[in-house]
């Protein structure tokens, strides 16, 4: 195809959003996944393991992209999965507008990585990232309802596909508008916590995942746990079969695919009846938040405070650019010194 042919095809695609975004010419499937979560929470490590890449993870600066390819059968075109990773914890959340668009919303999913070793940052990180993402997705769906109501209705219906129609929790949950996986990372550190602390965190994350219609898995650098997380991600990325295993024992790593939990199995928030009676909440989610933050008060932190100047990072080094930058910095400092001298030498009229 010529460049002109490709341009025409792209315009037709944008003018007909009712076409299936998942399937491309030749029967190739394309999916997109956004990884976000705590700063230094292990997102890059999980992505590299999913893509079977033997690389040392590097800090993610802002928003990074990579991709993976898999063939469903021998001698068939390979399906493509686009992996986006949001760095900086919650500080750069507005960048989610770049990967999540109206053109790929039908084939998009989110993986939220929460650092289990930092429970005082857990709820704040989760709430900030999911609220902004949900708001952005809802704006896209609102526009789609006017341009293509059938597609918008299909996406909204998918939100409930993980629950059976007669599930007793239908009135108590609020599914996330696109597929969501919650990963609790650094389980090896978390496992050393007091058993009561582990129970509260595990129970809370079970509720949150069930409330949002998400899958939940705890992982660490352990190969066995990484494989479980990889199974959930491969289902989102390449349509692999869902894992049917289930682990809800708080003394072990949790693994709960979406739709396999229930409020009755999770139980009430971990607080006494008298404490629960004093807490005012408009939604179940708000009640669980208050109970969780009573044990783990939210820590005041800034994701940007430890951010280093990327120009000084060796992984972005470019000799010619760095030499020129050093020269310009010297010229700037010289200009400041000269300007300072000239101002001091000026004789201002005090009248």
């Amino acid at each position: 195809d010529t460049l002109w042919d490709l341009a025409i095809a792209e315009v037709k695609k944008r003018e007909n959003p009712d076409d299936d975004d998942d399937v491309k010419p030749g029967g190739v499937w394309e999916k997109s996944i956004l990884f976000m979560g705590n700063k230094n929470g292990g997102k890059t490590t999980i992505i590299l393991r999913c893509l079977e890449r033997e690389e040392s993870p590097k800090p993610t600066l802002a928003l990074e992209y990579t991709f993976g390819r898999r063939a469903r059968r021998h001698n068939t075109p390979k399906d493509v999965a686009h992996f986006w990773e949001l760095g900086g914890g919650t500080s750069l959340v507005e960048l989610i507008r770049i990967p999540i668009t109206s053109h790929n919303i039908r084939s998009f999913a989110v993986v939220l990585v929460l650092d289990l070793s930092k429970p005082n940052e857990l709820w704040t990180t989760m709430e900030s990232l999911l609220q902004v993402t949900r708001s952005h997705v809802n704006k896209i769906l609102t526009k789609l309802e006017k341009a293509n109501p059938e597609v918008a209705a299909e996406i909204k219906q998918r939100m409930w596909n993980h629950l059976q129609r007669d599930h007793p929790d239908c009135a108590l949950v609020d599914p996330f508008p696109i597929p969501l996986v919650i990963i609790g990372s650094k389980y090896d550190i978390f496992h050393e916590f007091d058993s009561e602390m582990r129970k509260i965190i595990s129970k809370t994350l079970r509720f949150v995942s069930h409330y949002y219609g998400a899958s939940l898995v705890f992982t660490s650098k352990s190969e066995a746990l990484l494989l479980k997380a990889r199974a959930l991600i491969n289902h989102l990325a390449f349509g692999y079969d869902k894992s049917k295993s289930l682990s809800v024992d708080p003394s072990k790593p949790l693994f709960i695919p979406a739709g396999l939990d229930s409020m009755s199995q999770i139980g009430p928030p971990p607080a006494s009846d008298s404490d629960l009676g004093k807490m005012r909440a408009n939604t179940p989610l708000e009640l669980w938040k208050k109970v969780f933050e009573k044990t783990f008060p939210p820590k005041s932190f800034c994701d940007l405070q430890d951010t280093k100047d990327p120009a000084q990072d060796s992984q972005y080094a470019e000799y010619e650019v760095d030499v020129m930058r050093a020269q310009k910095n010297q010229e700037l400092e010289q200009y400041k010194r000269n300007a300072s001298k000239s101002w001091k030498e000026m004789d201002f009229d005090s009248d």
Side-chain angles (χ1 to χ4, degrees):
D1 292 341
T2 65
L3 185 61
W4 185 247
D5 292 329
L6 294 173
I8 293 175
E10 179 65 21
V11 170
K12 286 183 177 180
K13 172 191 169 186
R14 297 191 178 194
E15 290 178 346
N16 296 279
D18 55 324
D19 293 341
D20 194 340
D21 288 337
D22 292 353
V23 184
K24 304 300 179 184
V28 175
W29 286 65
E30 286 194 29
K31 301 283 186 177
S32 299
I33 301 178
L34 172 64
F35 288 76
M36 57 187 184
N38 287 96
K39 187 176 180 180
N40 301 319
K43 299 182 291 297
T44 305
T45 299
I46 294 170
I47 293 173
L48 292 174
R49 187 64 191 88
C50 288
L51 297 176
E52 299 180 354
R53 294 181 184 170
E54 299 296 332
E55 303 174 19
S56 297
K58 298 178 181 178
T60 302
L61 181 61
L63 184 67
E64 295 195 3
Y65 167 82
T66 188
F67 68 94
R69 303 178 72 190
R70 297 283 189 280
R72 277 172 283 175
R73 294 178 298 277
H74 186 59
N75 289 332
T76 59
K78 291 185 177 181
D79 296 332
V80 180
H82 305 280
F83 289 80
W84 296 86
E85 181 185 355
L86 179 68
T90 60
S91 62
L92 303 172
V93 67
E94 295 299 327
L95 291 178
I96 63 163
R97 299 174 184 175
I98 296 173
I100 308 178
T101 69
S102 58
H103 304 302
N104 64 12
I105 191 69
R106 296 172 70 185
S107 57
F108 211 99
V110 170
V111 174
L112 176 64
V113 181
L114 299 174
D115 189 339
L116 296 175
S117 71
K118 300 176 180 177
N120 298 87
E121 297 179 13
L122 192 149
W123 194 285
T124 304
T125 300
M126 175 199 69
E127 187 175 59
S128 299
L129 292 172
L130 291 186
Q131 280 184 351
V132 174
T133 304
R134 184 168 212 158
S135 176
H136 176 63
V137 171
N138 284 340
K139 287 179 182 178
I140 292 176
L141 292 178
T142 299
K143 292 180 180 179
L144 268 181
E145 283 178 340
K146 298 177 181 178
N148 198 318
E150 292 182 1
V151 172
E154 176 196 334
I155 294 174
K156 290 186 175 182
Q157 179 56 43
R158 285 185 189 176
M159 294 163 52
W160 295 93
N161 285 350
H162 67 283
L163 283 183
Q164 298 176 352
R165 291 185 179 180
D166 58 349
H167 198 289
D169 298 338
C170 285
L172 301 174
V173 298
D174 187 15
F176 206 67
I178 54 180
L180 173 65
V181 169
I182 297 178
I183 296 179
S185 65
K186 301 188 181 179
Y187 177 79
D188 50 337
I189 301 175
F190 169 78
H191 188 59
E192 302 299 322
F193 285 6
D194 173 78
S195 61
E196 193 60 30
M197 291 174 61
R198 294 202 311 267
K199 185 177 179 181
I200 293 172
I201 296 170
S202 296
K203 198 172 184 180
T204 300
L205 285 179
R206 280 184 66 183
F207 167 79
V208 168
S209 299
H210 185 57
Y211 182 82
Y212 283 124
S215 296
L216 174 66
V217 60
F218 284 1
T219 189
S220 67
K221 293 182 179 180
S222 159
E223 187 67 18
L225 294 184
L226 280 171
L227 283 174
K228 288 192 172 184
R230 182 183 170 195
L232 288 175
I233 295 169
N234 276 337
H235 170 69
L236 296 177
F238 302 107
Y240 287 11
D241 292 340
K242 286 184 179 180
S243 174
K244 296 181 180 178
S245 63
L246 182 70
S247 175
V248 296
D249 186 344
S251 65
K252 298 178 180 178
L254 297 183
F255 183 85
I256 311 172
L260 297 187
D261 215 340
S262 67
M263 296 295 187
S264 60
Q265 291 175 314
I266 297 169
S272 64
D273 291 340
S274 59
D275 285 341
L276 289 176
K278 297 174 185 176
M279 295 179 180
R280 295 183 179 181
N282 295 320
T283 66
L285 185 68
E286 189 177 339
L287 178 61
W288 277 81
K289 176 183 178 180
K290 290 186 175 182
V291 171
F292 183 82
E293 292 189 341
K294 184 177 181 181
T295 305
F296 303 105
K299 179 182 176 183
S300 178
F301 67 97
C302 177
D303 284 318
L304 285 175
Q305 63 186 5
D306 297 323
T307 302
K308 297 179 181 178
D309 183 358
Q312 307 301 323
D313 195 319
S314 60
Q315 68 174 313
Y316 302 110
E318 290 189 37
Y319 179 75
E320 291 83 359
V321 175
D322 294 338
V323 169
M324 181 57 68
R325 180 185 176 91
Q327 178 183 327
K328 292 300 179 183
N329 283 340
Q330 289 178 356
E331 292 175 1
L332 178 60
E333 290 303 317
Q334 185 62 44
Y335 172 80
K336 289 180 179 178
R337 287 194 292 269
N338 293 339
S340 176
K341 289 179 182 178
S342 62
W343 276 100
K344 291 177 181 178
E345 293 169 357
M346 293 182 70
D347 184 18
F348 290 98
D349 188 353
S350 57
D351 293 339

